[in-house]
Amino acid sequence: MRKFLLPLLIAQALAVNAFAEGREQNNEVYSISEVEDLAPAPTSNATITSYQWTKDVHSSRKASKGTASIISPLMVPHTGPTTIPRTSAINVMSTVNTTPIFWGSSWTNSTFASDKIVGLTVWYNNLHSSPYISAVSEYTTLNHLFIMSKIDTSATNVNSSNSGNVLAEVCKVVGTANLNANGYYPVYTDVARGTANYCAYHSAGTCGGKLVQFAFFFSLDNDPGCDPVSPYAPPAGSAVAQKPGLVAGVSSAYQQSQGLAALANVSAHELMETVTDPAYFPPTGGGYWGGWYDLTGAENGDKCAWTFGPSNTRLSAGTVLIGGFDWKLQGEWSNKAQNGTGGYPTQGGLLKGCVTGS
Ligand SMILES: [Zn+2]
């Protein structure tokens, strides 16, 4: 869901510059003023109602939804304000160059780091050759490329989840001159979620006038609210240990840590949303979401959040084979599946538009 997460950094910039003039602040870090976040999983199916395409419960949006019978569940393309010059009719990404950033002093702690860095590297590096990538094929022909990972062991704090601080971290670690025009920068922190009502979000901004698509992730270790309950990882908070290191293709063993399995699932959510609904910064200033989302504002990941489909690979339901490992990844919304015969139900079970690729 869309949520305002106005960071202190941006508030300071706004104090001296009008919002619409953000693009002109060539030496400034300029963040879009709202993020698109993933709320935690519901604790029971009782919280699901028929009109709730996503579990992102947001009172203002719910109030404006109306009734299910008059709202189309399909996503539609958005072109942003008509007064804004556009280079293409629909704003999607076709080339994505991903550079994960691991931020926080805990990444030097082998117990915390565990298999997360190597695991997410395997995940991103092999995503393009996995079935999951085709979950967005009706919206864009996606060429996803893993570039490299970067580790910044400088300390995080409670403000590290603020979007302007995350953007500033990306620009610091990568360097403004090295920002990739097709870049996507997921930032994995060692900050526990605590009472925050989101697991992760994606957003965008500019550094030195360069567009930056990025995402933020809490540490999801032992966080049942943001856990896909992968059969290949020990349950959150369990005393049962995973097998040492990643163990490929072993259905009877925990082949990945719980924290890694949880990050992979929310990483799928944020990446696929960034691809189909990236933020857009027109030359005239301001920032907009201009891609695919439905009439409630839900993106492809939102509409199938915390749903896991039948296996298109092997072993138990809801897993996707990437890089020789089984990952339990949420589905992504497909208009084609909803209109046709494919796909599995969203939460609530009335729709059939969720897919994990084929
Ligand atoms: Zn989302």
Side-chain angles (χ1 to χ4, degrees), residues 60-86:
S60 63
R61 178 172 294 170
K62 284 178 69 176
S64 65
K65 274 179 179 175
T67 61
S69 60
I70 60 170
I71 291 182
S72 167
L74 299 181
M75 295 202 303
V76 293
H78 295 78
T79 56
T82 55
T83 55
I84 301 300
R86 304 297 302 266

Side-chain angles (χ1 to χ4, degrees), residues 1 36-38 56 202 269-270 273 299 301-302:
M1 74 178 183
E36 205 296 323
D37 71 3
L38 168 61
D56 295 354
H202 73 98
H269 180 111
E270 303 303 342
E273 290 185 345
E299 300 172 313
D302 298 326

Side-chain angles (χ1 to χ4, degrees), residues 99-101 147-150 152 167-180 183-185 187 207 212:
T99 297
I101 296 170
I147 301 297
M148 66 174 74
S149 294
K150 290 182 175 288
D152 176 10
L167 175 61
E169 171 68 9
V170 172
C171 300
K172 182 193 83 171
V173 170
V174 176
T176 302
N178 299 320
L179 289 168
N180 189 305
Y184 169 62
Y185 301 93
V187 177
C207 293
V212 183

Side-chain angles (χ1 to χ4, degrees), residues 17-298:
N17 291 290
F19 182 86
E21 295 173 346
R23 188 61 181 263
E24 315 308 325
Q25 302 165 21
N26 282 340
N27 296 315
E28 298 285 347
V29 173
Y30 173 77
S31 175
I32 198 167
S33 59
E34 63 177 11
V35 301
E36 205 296 323
D37 71 3
L38 168 61
T43 54
S44 81
N45 286 335
T47 63
I48 303 302
T49 61
S50 60
Y51 68 86
Q52 195 175 343
W53 320 129
T54 161
K55 285 169 302 311
D56 295 354
V57 178
H58 186 257
S59 56
S60 63
R61 178 172 294 170
K62 284 178 69 176
S64 65
K65 274 179 179 175
T67 61
S69 60
I70 60 170
I71 291 182
S72 167
L74 299 181
M75 295 202 303
V76 293
H78 295 78
T79 56
T82 55
T83 55
I84 301 300
R86 304 297 302 266
T87 55
S88 62
I90 302 170
N91 190 32
V92 295
M93 297 181 78
S94 56
T95 297
V96 176
N97 297 322
T98 295
T99 297
I101 296 170
F102 299 91
W103 179 23
S105 57
S106 299
W107 291 109
T108 60
N109 178 332
S110 60
T111 301
F112 174 82
S114 180
D115 57 359
K116 296 188 190 82
I117 295 176
V118 65
L120 288 168
T121 298
V122 167
W123 193 88
Y124 281 112
N125 202 24
N126 292 277
L127 185 66
H128 189 74
S129 57
S130 81
Y132 199 82
I133 205 81
S134 67
V136 295
S137 61
E138 69 196 76
Y139 311 109
T140 182
T141 301
L142 176 60
N143 178 31
H144 178 268
L145 192 65
F146 169 79
I147 301 297
M148 66 174 74
S149 294
K150 290 182 175 288
I151 302 174
D152 176 10
T153 59
S154 64
T156 56
N157 58 42
V158 68
N159 292 320
S160 298
S161 63
N162 284 340
S163 60
N165 292 339
V166 177
L167 175 61
E169 171 68 9
V170 172
C171 300
K172 182 193 83 171
V173 170
V174 176
T176 302
N178 299 320
L179 289 168
N180 189 305
N182 296 310
Y184 169 62
Y185 301 93
V187 177
Y188 297 93
T189 69
D190 55 2
V191 180
R193 183 167 61 92
T195 58
N197 61 353
Y198 57 92
C199 308
Y201 64 78
H202 73 98
S203 189
T206 60
C207 293
K210 289 188 175 182
L211 174 63
V212 183
Q213 307 283 353
F214 64 93
F216 165 83
F217 300 85
F218 284 115
S219 167
L220 302 181
D221 289 2
N222 301 318
D223 185 343
C226 299
D227 194 300
V229 195
S230 170
Y232 305 105
S238 168
V240 177
Q242 69 164 118
K243 294 283 184 178
L246 288 169
V247 183
V250 183
S251 62
S252 60
Y254 293 139
Q255 60 172 227
Q256 58 203 229
S257 68
Q258 175 271 327
L260 169 60
L263 288 176
N265 175 55
V266 296
S267 295
H269 180 111
E270 303 303 342
L271 172 60
M272 293 311 198
E273 290 185 345
T274 302
V275 168
T276 54
D277 188 26
Y280 164 63
F281 289 83
T284 48
Y288 305 94
W289 302 97
W292 289 84
Y293 47 92
D294 73 10
L295 295 179
T296 73

